[in-house]
Amino acid sequence: MQLRMTNQREMILRELKKSKKHLTADELYERVKKFMPRISLATVYRNLEILSDAAMIRKLEISGRQKRFDSELEDHDHIYCIQCHRIENLDIGENEVTLGAVDTKGYEITGRRLEVIGLCPKCQEKQTKTNIKAKKGETTMACGCKKGELSGEQKQVLEAMANCEGPCASKDIATATGLETKQVSCRITALKKKGYVDSPVRCKYGITSEGRAALKG
């Protein structure tokens, strides 16, 4: 049965194609609501899932990160920056990646998805500048957060997130840790730069797999 294209779905699809980027539902919502002020974020989420199920767009589920959506339907892979979360298309020929020598455990292979991660050129440049500043003794942020190992307050924030059943707001973390909301926001900013925290829902935060590993370390 062919999917009925409502005005909302047409607008979402149009904005996704026009962006030529891999947008999140939140980012698409900000674009679409300029033309449809009454549309809700939940409606955008729901229609993106419907369009994805109908194979009209591709849903990108990078491990531990917010879902992104791609209007390009031809087979291709993606490369993901662990620092700024930028995603770009990556063209890898079939001859470059083969499952011929892999034990597929009896599965019938219907496709593959390759997840390549790293640091994009801009983040490499920023990291180089940060390292230079660190050597000069500039090792703290304006709010006093250490850029090296986890501070006690950063650990508190991560532990509070780890104990939450889902994404939580800054004020909830402040209540759990006893820190001021401003302090929590500062620590979250630093932790996001480390890749230990993400924001799967607007204004709410969760601990990533890297963050859990850092807590155990």
Side-chain angles (χ1 to χ4, degrees), residues 87-111:
I87 297 178
E88 295 189 76
N89 290 345
L90 191 65
D91 293 322
I92 300 179
E94 291 184 7
N95 294 331
E96 296 179 55
V97 179
T98 177
L99 294 174
V102 177
D103 179 6
T104 57
K105 309 297 182 183
Y107 279 65
E108 178 186 350
I109 304 302
T110 58

Side-chain angles (χ1 to χ4, degrees), residues 8-32 35 44 47-49 51-52 55-60 67-73:
Q8 292 174 338
R9 290 169 191 165
E10 287 179 352
M11 180 64 69
I12 290 169
L13 189 57
R14 189 193 78 179
E15 288 303 305
L16 183 60
K17 288 181 177 179
K18 190 167 69 174
S19 74
K20 296 182 180 179
K21 294 181 180 179
H22 307 87
L23 301 178
T24 64
D26 288 32
E27 290 168 338
L28 266 169
Y29 167 69
E30 292 297 330
R31 289 170 176 261
V32 172
F35 305 97
V44 173
N47 280 295
L48 282 170
E49 291 293 337
L51 290 169
S52 175
M56 297 183 69
I57 61 175
R58 297 177 70 182
K59 179 166 57 178
L60 310 181
K67 294 175 186 175
R68 291 180 178 271
F69 298 87
D70 190 354
S71 62
E72 178 58 60
L73 297 178

Side-chain angles (χ1 to χ4, degrees), residues 62-66 80-85 115-119 150 154-155 158-159 161-162 190-199 206-217:
I62 304 295
S63 300
R65 299 294 175 185
Q66 191 174 8
Y80 169 78
C81 179
I82 58 175
Q83 191 73 29
C84 67
H85 313 315
E115 184 177 305
V116 182
I117 62 174
L119 281 176
L150 286 176
Q154 288 176 345
K155 286 181 180 178
L158 285 179
E159 286 169 352
M161 290 182 182
L191 291 167
K192 284 179 72 176
K193 289 181 179 179
K194 295 174 186 288
Y196 296 164
V197 168
D198 65 3
S199 181
I207 185 171
T208 64
S209 55
E210 293 94 334
R212 293 183 186 278
L215 273 180
K216 294 178 181 178

